Amino acid sequence: MSFRNILTIMDLSNFTTLQNLEAAFGGESMANRKYLFFAEVARKLGFTDIAKLFKETADQETEHAFAHFVLLHPELVVQDPAVLTDEQKREIISRCLSLAIEGETYEYTTMYPEFASAAQRDRDNPAAEEFLKQAKESSEHATTFREAAHRFGLLKFIENYHADRYAEALEVLNGGQAATRVAGEDPKTRKWICRQCSMIYDPVAGDPDSGIAPGTAFEDIPDDWRCPICGATKKTFKPLEEKLAA
């Protein structure tokens, strides 16, 4: 029976099976990295055939780990990308980013600090230093993933804006009237758009990931703030002209 068929009949409400799958995924993943390490040792010592054996086995362990992960997260299975809508694709990638953030956050807030404390109690300073170093790197990884998720979310609004403008252009092409667009007057609600990438700054939402609190008017943003999508300066933005309500 294929893993895809197993996926359709397996009930992950069985907590023991879920735990076993997580343990199996962890074990296969660890085996992959361990065998790659062995392969590097063998390569350095001149045992090329053995290095190749370790590498091939590591690749097989990766496939095993992937098969387990599919059962743990069937929502991430992509069988035919062509039949997915853009929204479905965004949901899958958003889920991947969320899982990455969750994992890295656990590592730097809980796992490595606890490991470091235990190593310090055991007076194993090299281990403690390594755990603290990994905690710092996990924190940086989590931040990177959060920034990516933020940018990914912003792209949705950019695509909506582009689709709206294209639809408007098509309507005019077919003999319709161009919509009347004006920029908002209230700084607290007036949106601004990046002329370089079309990122839209909404003062109601702000830009918390860049330290800009919700409710911050564009005029009150520090001059050194940059577009979270393309990095353009604040001067690159202009007031967003929106359609007047019919």
Side-chain angles (χ1 to χ4, degrees):
M1 179 180 294
S2 72
F3 284 108
R4 290 291 183 269
N5 290 333
I6 293 174
L7 178 62
T8 62
I9 64 174
M10 186 169 184
D11 181 8
L12 288 183
S13 62
N14 186 319
F15 185 65
T16 300
T17 299
L18 176 61
Q19 287 183 311
N20 290 341
L21 274 174
E22 290 177 338
F25 173 71
E28 298 287 2
S29 301
M30 182 170 63
N32 165 268
R33 310 320 292 176
K34 180 170 63 178
Y35 294 157
L36 288 179
F37 181 88
F38 292 166
E40 182 64 12
V41 171
R43 185 190 65 78
K44 288 181 178 179
L45 295 178
F47 296 96
T48 55
D49 288 344
I50 296 179
K52 181 180 179 181
L53 172 63
F54 280 130
K55 177 63 170 59
E56 290 176 349
T57 308
D59 291 342
Q60 293 167 4
E61 300 290 13
T62 294
E63 291 303 316
H64 299 166
F66 282 4
H68 298 325
F69 200 76
V70 161
L71 296 177
L72 285 167
H73 293 285
E75 75 277 14
L76 301 180
V77 175
V78 178
Q79 295 179 330
D80 185 1
V83 304
L84 298 177
T85 65
D86 289 342
E87 183 61 29
Q88 289 173 321
K89 292 176 182 178
R90 281 193 291 266
E91 288 178 359
I92 292 173
I93 292 301
S94 294
R95 178 62 175 151
C96 290
L97 287 169
S98 295
L99 288 171
I101 293 169
E102 178 184 321
E104 296 291 342
T105 299
Y106 167 73
E107 289 181 2
Y108 83 81
T109 61
T110 304
M111 187 179 78
Y112 283 126
E114 290 181 356
F115 288 177
S117 295
Q120 290 168 343
R121 288 195 297 272
D122 292 340
R123 297 183 180 181
D124 190 336
N125 292 330
E129 291 176 1
E130 174 63 18
F131 289 141
L132 291 174
K133 175 184 176 182
Q134 293 302 322
K136 181 176 182 298
E137 290 187 3
S138 293
S139 176
E140 293 171 351
H141 291 165
T143 298
T144 298
F145 284 132
R146 275 194 292 269
E147 291 174 349
H150 177 58
R151 289 195 300 271
F152 193 71
L154 293 175
L155 287 174
K156 176 180 179 179
F157 297 104
I158 293 175
E159 290 170 358
N160 287 345
Y161 171 77
H162 287 164
D164 182 58
R165 296 307 296 264
Y166 285 139
E168 187 176 318
L170 179 60
E171 184 177 344
V172 173
L173 183 64
N174 291 330
Q177 294 292 322
T180 301
R181 291 177 171 270
V182 296
E185 296 182 358
D186 186 353
K188 294 181 180 179
T189 57
R190 182 170 58 232
K191 299 176 183 178
W192 291 67
I193 184 169
C194 177
R195 287 177 288 186
Q196 184 163 297
C197 74
S198 296
M199 179 269 174
I200 298 171
Y201 175 79
D202 183 352
V204 175
D207 184 14
D209 287 348
S210 300
I212 309 301
T216 303
F218 186 81
E219 291 83 353
D220 296 331
I221 295 177
D223 291 337
D224 61 355
W225 176 81
R226 288 181 173 273
C227 174
I229 294 292
C230 68
T233 64
K234 181 181 176 181
K235 294 180 180 179
T236 310
F237 283 70
K238 66 177 182 179
L240 175 64
E241 294 183 343
E242 300 184 89
K243 288 186 200 177
L244 285 178

